[in-house]
Amino acid sequence: MRGTSAGADEGEREPRGADRWDLEPEDGDSGETEPKGSSLTVRLLVVQAIVLVVALVIVAVTTLLLGPQMYINELFRQGHGRAVGAILHLDDVFRNVSLLSVTIGGLTAMVIASFVSFLITRRIRHSISEVGRAATRVASGEYGVRLEPTELGSEFNDLTGSFNDMAAKLHAVDQTRRQMLADLAHEMRTPLANLKGHLEGIEDGIVTLDDRTSGILAGQISRLEHLAQDMRSLTQAEEGMVHLRPSRQDPADLVVDVVAGAEQLAKSRQVEITASMPRTPLAPVLMDRARMDQVLSNLVDNALHHTPAGGQVTVGLAEREKQVIYTVTDTGDGIPAEDLNRIFMRFYRVGEGREAKPGGSGLGLAISKALVQAQGGTLTATSHGPGRGSEFTVHLARRQGAARN
């Protein structure tokens, strides 16, 4: 499992604190913020009032100018033109009554509209304030904050849903970070203790700095480097930061290459390794070839380290229900039933552990599962119990789209 060392990454980055110096106010800067504008409620009420006033003015002008004239014209058309004085009097009465009606109706409508607008805007302001307060809490590290759906329409529900999704993802990232730091501290304790013990022994003259001691020190340093690289790979895979390059690949070619690459290790451990292929060639499947090679190679390497001399490891290939299935089966140590659900946890040990091989970081199975899931597949383990071997199965669905990055 390849990756750059943590030290190299830190060397390429600028210190985080350096970016913060630009945020400090310069000499003479009061640091005061711009004054806040009026609240949303006030703004909406002002807009509603302006609309109502304009509507009332239009209605009043129309009623007072056009209404009486249309009324007089209708009287003349009906043959009442001789009573000019009475018509003019009716004209004045009509204007006064119309103005009074418009005024009473307009003021009543304005009061009702203002009250309804106030209730609605207060509710909107409350919902927006809730989002603001929740965002502030998330910014301070409270990733468990969630917003309840509102009754203000689909737009607000979409907003709260997006916020909850964001908070959930931040919470998952934070949990991954915390767990990673705890696991890393636990796993670093042993090699660091070994290094400290040997160095103190050399200083006190108890331990001789010969080739054997140098090899032990180099091995512990290599273990720490391997651990840092694997932690980086696992974190990237679990948080969806792995850049995949999916392409159509012959699934059988992957099995052939993985078996060929493991033959020397199998011979050195006196374990037989074979490939089990279907009689009919399978159609190409969408996958990231390099990542799947990494997954199967790790599973095979893991199986070889836990299969005694004279045992057998088989890498199989099949297709069922539009899924390409890879299997790595061994006749080795086996896995207790109570540990099958936890075998893919980082640093988890099963007794002596399938990840406790010399030089292993305890992260290989966790990385393999994360890489398979990143491509939309699954990785599972089965076993009939201790001493009865085990089988790891990778399912990759056939699909038209690209794999997830």
Side-chain angles (χ1 to χ4, degrees):
M1 289 158 281
R2 300 179 181 177
T4 57
S5 64
D9 290 342
E10 292 296 332
E12 295 173 359
R13 301 174 185 168
E14 296 181 357
R16 293 184 178 179
D19 295 336
R20 298 182 181 177
W21 291 107
D22 296 336
L23 301 178
E24 298 293 336
E26 298 179 356
D27 294 340
D29 188 359
S30 62
E32 296 180 356
T33 58
E34 295 181 359
K36 295 182 179 180
S38 57
S39 67
L40 177 64
T41 302
V42 174
R43 293 184 180 184
L44 290 177
L45 288 177
V46 169
V47 171
Q48 292 284 347
I50 292 175
V51 172
L52 286 172
V53 169
V54 171
L56 288 176
V57 169
I58 294 175
V59 171
V61 170
T62 303
T63 302
L64 297 178
L65 295 182
L66 298 180
Q69 187 62 41
M70 295 173 62
Y71 177 69
I72 292 173
N73 292 338
E74 182 64 20
L75 288 177
F76 276 100
R77 193 175 67 83
Q78 295 294 332
H80 302 289
R82 297 178 179 178
V84 177
I87 291 176
L88 294 176
H89 176 69
L90 290 175
D91 178 45
D92 293 336
V93 173
F94 184 86
R95 290 178 186 273
N96 294 334
V97 172
S98 299
L99 179 60
L100 181 61
S101 301
V102 170
T103 301
I104 295 175
L107 292 176
T108 303
M110 181 174 291
V111 171
I112 296 175
S114 299
F115 178 73
V116 173
S117 298
F118 174 76
L119 294 179
I120 294 176
T121 53
R122 186 177 66 173
R123 189 167 185 177
I124 294 175
R125 182 187 63 180
H126 175 74
S127 299
I128 295 177
S129 298
E130 284 292 325
V131 175
R133 285 191 292 269
T136 301
R137 293 175 62 185
V138 169
S140 64
E142 297 183 42
Y143 302 118
V145 177
R146 297 294 183 272
L147 294 174
E148 296 295 332
T150 65
E151 298 180 357
L152 296 176
S154 59
E155 293 81 2
F156 271 88
N157 291 336
D158 291 342
L159 175 62
T160 56
S162 299
F163 180 90
N164 290 338
D165 290 342
M166 177 197 70
K169 291 179 180 178
L170 289 175
H171 186 265
V173 171
D174 183 66
Q175 289 293 103
T176 300
R177 179 184 63 84
R178 291 175 183 271
Q179 187 64 39
M180 179 193 69
L181 292 176
D183 293 341
L184 187 60
H186 175 75
E187 291 300 315
M188 289 177 64
R189 188 175 303 152
T190 299
L192 288 176
N194 291 336
L195 286 172
K196 181 180 179 181
H198 281 82
L199 291 175
E200 289 178 349
I202 293 172
E203 291 178 354
D204 297 338
I206 301 175
V207 179
T208 303
L209 184 57
D210 52 16
D211 292 340
R212 178 178 176 278
T213 304
S214 298
I216 293 175
L217 296 177
Q220 296 302 316
I221 293 173
S222 176
R223 180 179 176 182
L224 289 173
E225 290 178 343
H226 191 195
L227 177 64
Q229 292 169 2
D230 283 355
M231 284 298 297
R232 181 173 181 269
S233 299
L234 177 59
T235 301
Q236 288 180 335
E238 288 182 338
E239 295 183 1
M241 298 171 60
V242 177
H243 180 62
L244 300 177
R245 296 177 176 85
S247 60
R248 297 286 175 183
Q249 299 288 334
D250 186 342
D253 288 346
L254 178 60
V255 174
V256 172
D257 292 345
V258 169
V259 171
E263 285 181 348
Q264 291 300 320
L265 178 60
K267 289 181 179 179
S268 67
R269 299 187 64 86
Q270 300 180 5
V271 175
E272 180 183 2
I273 182 170
T274 59
S276 176
M277 299 288 195
R279 295 181 179 180
T280 304
L282 303 185
V285 63
L286 188 66
M287 71 170 79
D288 185 317
R289 173 58 185 270
R291 298 296 184 181
M292 286 305 302
D293 186 277
Q294 178 181 352
V295 169
L296 285 187
S297 295
N298 180 70
L299 295 178
V300 170
D301 180 74
N302 197 46
L304 290 173
H305 278 87
H306 293 278
T307 301
Q312 184 175 6
V313 174
T314 303
V315 182
L317 173 64
E319 182 175 16
R320 289 193 300 269
E321 299 178 355
K322 297 183 179 180
Q323 287 187 331
V324 173
I325 302 172
Y326 292 99
T327 57
V328 177
T329 308
D330 64 68
T331 59
D333 300 339
I335 307 172
E338 64 271 15
D339 292 318
L340 286 174
N341 292 332
R342 295 174 285 183
I343 191 68
F344 296 103
M345 294 173 60
R346 62 179 80 196
F347 303 118
Y348 186 73
R349 261 70 173 177
V350 180
E352 289 299 320
R354 300 193 64 86
E355 288 288 355
K357 58 182 180 290
S361 65
L363 296 171
L365 292 178
I367 292 174
S368 297
K369 185 172 185 177
L371 290 176
V372 172
Q373 290 177 337
Q375 300 180 67
T378 60
L379 173 58
T380 58
T382 58
S383 176
H384 294 293
R388 303 180 64 182
S390 59
E391 181 176 89
F392 289 81
T393 305
V394 176
H395 291 81
L396 287 181
R398 290 190 178 277
R399 58 194 187 282
Q400 301 298 324
R404 176 174 61 87
N405 284 349

